[in-house]
Structure formats: structure tokens, C-alpha cells
Amino acid sequence: MNWCKAFSWLLVLCSSALAAGTPLVPTTVCEILHDLTSYTGKDVAVLGRYSFRSAGRWLSEQACTPKSSVSPLLWLTEDLKDAPKPPADFELDGVALRRKFADLRQHTSLGNFRFGTPDYDRWAVVYGRISLRKPDPAASKDSSPAPAADLMYRGNGVVVFLAPNE
């Protein structure tokens, strides 16, 4: 019976070691919103249009296919204490990232601003934890739809900005 227990622990250790070296496949905002219940509470690397304004920061897409019933954005909530730390060997799957990034750029564009800086909208991958967003009773019914979820992240150290030509 002891050899069975030792073998089980060996399997657990081996699978942990294999998983530790696996690059992260980024998930798009639309992928998360299409299956929000399975992503809630999970740590993920999210690809999208990173926007920042005086009201806050978010990751978004212009539209999801198939169409989503909620606004295609994740509100970014910075939490230096409780947000997840990226894995020690943080690496993104380059092939998957390039494929998803090319697809994202087909249906989402960056904003063109007459004033200010182009940094208001950029392409990025942000590592964090998905949580459901509580509805805001003060929000107007005439305004655009509120985001369905937050992405809690640990500061700028987990935001990877992408250059369109890379």
C-alpha cells in the first residue's frame, strides 16, 4: 500500500513540474465572457485592447462573435496585495499569442485621439484573476452596458504591451 501512495505523490510532483514549464496561452476578453462562470476565480493572461481614461482602465474588444449579451470588456482592478502573482517562469505561448492577436486586430481597433496621447489605447496582455462585477445601482439605464467582470491584477509588472508589428 505504501508504494501506491509513493507512486501517487510521484505523479503529482511530475505533473506539477511539467505544468510549471508550460507557456501560458493568452485568453481573449470575448473567450472569457462566453464562458464567464468557468473563468470566475481563475488566474489568466488576458489579451485585449488596454484602455485608460480618467474613469479607470479596462481590457476590451469592439465586438464578440457570437455576439455577447454583456459589454465586451473587463474592468482592471489593481490590487498589489491580493492579486495573483504571475508564475515564476512567466512565459506566453508565442504561436497562440500571434494567432489570437492577428484575429483580435481584425475586429477591434485602437482609438484615434485628437488630443492627448496614443497611450490611451494600446494592445496588451494582462495577468490577473477574473471576478464577477457587482451591478452598480447608480448607473444610468441610458448609458452603455456595464462590464460583467473585473480582472484583478498586481500592478504594471503584469501588463505586457504589444507592438502591432511584432
Side-chain angles (χ1 to χ4, degrees):
M1 202 64 146
N2 284 339
W3 68 270
C4 226
K5 197 177 207 179
F7 184 71
S8 296
W9 277 107
L10 181 63
L11 280 176
V12 168
L13 290 173
C14 287
S15 65
S16 297
L18 288 174
T22 305
L24 294 171
V25 175
T27 307
T28 65
V29 172
C30 287
E31 288 173 319
I32 289 171
L33 293 176
H34 284 303
D35 196 8
L36 187 55
T37 55
S38 71
Y39 282 102
T40 300
K42 300 278 175 31
D43 298 347
V44 291
V46 185
L47 169 65
R49 175 180 54 198
Y50 175 95
S51 299
F52 109 83
R53 310 286 190 275
S54 60
R57 298 168 194 233
W58 60 90
L59 277 178
S60 66
E61 295 188 43
Q62 280 177 284
C64 296
T65 305
K67 195 168 184 144
S68 176
S69 62
V70 295
S71 183
L73 67 92
L74 299 171
W75 194 258
L76 295 175
T77 306
E78 185 174 12
D79 188 329
L80 299 174
K81 182 181 174 207
D82 294 327
K85 291 181 182 177
D89 56 349
F90 183 73
E91 179 184 351
L92 295 170
D93 183 321
V95 173
L97 176 60
R98 277 189 285 284
R99 181 179 47 79
K100 289 184 179 199
F101 187 35
D103 182 53
L104 173 69
R105 292 180 58 214
Q106 293 295 316
H107 65 271
T108 301
S109 60
L110 299 178
N112 292 321
F113 301 97
R114 188 171 159 173
F115 300 104
T117 172
D119 292 344
Y120 290 152
D121 274 359
R122 297 166 74 182
W123 304 112
V125 176
V126 180
Y127 185 81
R129 182 173 299 128
I130 300 295
S131 62
L132 291 178
R133 190 166 178 81
K134 294 179 176 83
D136 182 4
S140 168
K141 291 183 181 182
D142 296 331
S143 66
S144 60
D150 290 339
L151 179 63
M152 182 173 54
Y153 71 110
R154 193 178 274 268
N156 291 336
V158 294
V159 178
V160 178
F161 291 108
L162 305 174
N165 299 328
E166 291 181 8

